[in-house]
Amino acid sequence: MRITPSIHALKHPFQVPIAPGITLDRFVYSYLIYGETILLIDTGVAGCETQIFDYIRSTGRDPSEIALVILTHAHPDHIGAARAIQGATGCSIAAHPAERAWIEDVERQNRERPVPGFATLVGGPVQLDFELVDGDSIEIDATHSGELQVFHTPGHSAGSLSLFLHSEGALFSGDVIPVTGDLPVYDDALASVRSVQRLRGLTGIHVILSAWDEPKRGEDVYRQMDQALAYLQKIHEAVLACAGADSPDPMECTRRTAAALGLPPQAVNSLLTRTFEANRRVLNRKNILEH
């Protein structure tokens, strides 16, 4: 899908095995920025390199033109095909330093944050060539009048990055902005709120390019972030109600909170518990939208 003359979006459907014979359908987006070379933002899961390479060829370019891959964070659906892509193209890999350990040692990630089907989602570790931190900017090439600005937007993960291409008014938000009604995933509730609020304060955004939602344009851009903030508060209130009842164990709290939010029973897993536990750590705050 062409978003602007230089930005292309690729949607990668995949399945997560959550129980014998039961899978959860998910998708993730990666993005290509065309210039004299090609910059790739996130890689999808293992095997997505085929779709990425085929798409590039369909547009008259060659996969060998990928010069840089930016990983918005280390989770499997973002780094899964990085090893294969680097092996085929020799491209550089960049991410935030807080994500380095899990990108370069995927077995460590699997131990510390187990995900169903991890081994099928990640094609192996990959070494970072350089790190990106808040305030950095990336000059794509002479074909673009602006730079890609780097924002450290933690919450979903410690080193989550968002990227803003000023010349196109395009914000690449990774998984930072939760989707109302969808599975919430974050490690720090307050940091998630502050990151979305920070992005909400940017001017000149014409399109939001999220990893786990469809591209949003026009009035939907800022509305999406307002809805995300309201959803984060709703989640927090649901966790408060559960934890304040009789202090159930984390998994029971997850079941109750998921039901209150209208999430399907199959969504109840260790990742969702991890999210709700992030809210339980700040039970002293009824309104997490206030600084």
Side-chain angles (χ1 to χ4, degrees):
M1 177 196 313
R2 176 170 283 189
I3 304 296
T4 72
S6 62
I7 299 173
H8 301 251
L10 286 177
K11 186 176 184 178
H12 308 290
F14 65 99
Q15 292 184 322
V16 178
I18 57 176
I22 301 175
T23 58
L24 183 65
D25 291 330
R26 302 292 292 174
F27 69 83
V28 67
Y29 272 96
S30 59
Y31 296 96
L32 299 158
I33 302 178
Y34 282 13
E36 294 172 354
T37 59
I38 297 173
L39 187 155
L40 172 63
I41 300 174
D42 290 331
T43 71
V45 300
C48 285
E49 67 275 5
T50 300
Q51 181 186 358
I52 293 169
F53 292 169
D54 287 348
Y55 179 84
I56 290 172
R57 293 187 185 102
S58 76
T59 62
R61 303 290 293 261
D62 191 89
S64 64
E65 297 178 62
I66 298 174
L68 173 64
V69 171
I70 298 177
L71 303 174
T72 60
H73 59 291
H75 293 166
D77 51 333
H78 297 261
I79 72 166
R83 183 181 179 93
I85 291 170
Q86 187 184 55
T89 67
C91 64
S92 297
I93 307 286
H96 189 274
E99 305 292 300
R100 178 187 283 273
W102 279 6
I103 293 170
E104 297 186 343
D105 186 351
V106 295
E107 291 306 317
R108 174 179 172 179
Q109 179 179 173
N110 193 21
R111 290 193 304 270
E112 296 177 353
R113 185 182 181 269
V115 172
F118 186 95
T120 67
L121 300 176
V122 180
V126 65
Q127 300 297 304
L128 293 189
D129 293 288
F130 60 93
E131 297 175 343
L132 294 172
V133 297
D134 191 73
D136 283 348
S137 59
I138 300 167
E139 185 174 347
I140 298 175
D141 55 45
T143 64
H144 289 79
S145 57
E147 296 177 321
L148 192 64
Q149 186 176 359
V150 177
F151 292 89
H152 179 213
T153 46
H156 178 75
S157 71
S160 284
L161 295 176
S162 297
L163 308 156
F164 188 36
L165 186 58
H166 291 267
S167 61
E168 307 279 357
L171 176 66
F172 302 89
S173 60
D175 286 346
V176 171
I177 303 172
V179 179
T180 302
D182 199 358
L183 187 70
V185 180
Y186 49 83
D187 288 338
D188 187 321
L190 294 181
S192 290
V193 167
R194 289 165 185 160
S195 289
V196 177
Q197 288 174 332
R198 185 182 184 195
L199 295 179
R200 177 67 177 80
L202 296 177
T203 58
I205 304 174
H206 302 310
V207 58
I208 288 183
L209 301 172
S210 170
W212 57 0
D213 195 13
E214 307 299 337
K216 296 290 189 294
R217 300 176 183 269
E219 294 181 355
D220 288 337
V221 165
Y222 292 96
R223 183 184 299 120
Q224 181 188 19
M225 289 187 275
D226 289 338
Q227 291 172 344
L229 290 169
Y231 189 40
L232 286 167
Q233 178 61 30
K234 181 180 179 180
I235 294 166
H236 189 61
E237 291 173 358
V239 174
L240 278 174
C242 171
D246 53 10
S247 298
D249 67 54
M251 186 54 72
E252 179 58 26
C253 186
T254 301
R255 293 189 187 94
R256 295 186 191 180
T257 304
L261 293 170
L263 297 173
Q266 61 266 33
V268 175
N269 57 29
S270 60
L271 287 184
L272 194 58
T273 298
R274 188 181 178 113
T275 296
F276 294 158
E277 285 299 289
N279 289 88
R280 290 179 67 166
R281 288 194 290 271
V282 287
L283 291 179
N284 61 315
R285 300 183 63 134
K286 292 185 178 180
N287 188 342
I288 61 171
L289 303 186
E290 295 179 349
H291 289 288

